[in-house]
Amino acid sequence: MAAALPGLWYCLHLPASLLDLVDVDIWELKAAQSLRLDHNILLVPIDCFDEDLLGRHLQHHHPVVTVCPDELLDEARQRASALGFVLPTTPYSQLSDATLTAQWNAIHEHFIPGLAPLTGEVSLTPPIQSGGHKAAPPSGSVLRTGVLRLAT
């Protein structure tokens, strides 16, 4: 499970729904709370990242981005493309504030290009770590996929 933490932490900083991408009134935010538009993050072993096992689930969601250890990038990229993920697969070595901002902008542009995006900075909050040292992302065979559920 430790190998999944960098990708999971990153995906939690991505928008959970389209409401996260635009400026909405306070009453709309309050109403949206009842919709339970939580993040949809799948932790999937690379061997299970295919149409046979995920196809039915992805029919009801919009696959957005796959995040993976660097050594799985080529295989994860091919599988994500075959499953119709919107954004390019992102390896752990590219998880940064700049990538996060670019992906927020790309998600906005893909799903709601006609609406003005939010202004301001998006950044990764540092994970809680012991000793005050930033840990290097561990390697592993599990990848994360961000799946955006659109409110209907």
Side-chain angles (χ1 to χ4, degrees), residues 40-57:
N40 264 325
I41 301 171
L42 302 175
L43 301 176
V44 182
I46 190 73
D47 295 339
C48 298
F49 191 46
D50 60 28
E51 179 70 30
D52 292 339
L53 294 170
L54 297 179
R56 180 176 259 175
H57 176 78

Side-chain angles (χ1 to χ4, degrees), residues 86-121:
V86 173
L87 301 182
T89 299
T90 305
Y92 283 176
S93 63
Q94 292 181 7
L95 301 182
S96 67
D97 290 346
T99 303
L100 186 65
T101 298
Q103 288 185 339
W104 270 77
N105 292 337
I107 292 167
H108 183 277
E109 186 61 33
H110 179 82
F111 288 104
I112 50 174
L115 295 176
L118 288 174
T119 58
E121 296 294 318

Side-chain angles (χ1 to χ4, degrees), residues 52-71:
D52 292 339
L53 294 170
L54 297 179
R56 180 176 259 175
H57 176 78
L58 295 178
Q59 288 175 352
H60 305 289
H61 297 85
H62 296 272
V64 178
V65 66
T66 299
V67 178
C68 67
D70 289 40
E71 65 270 14

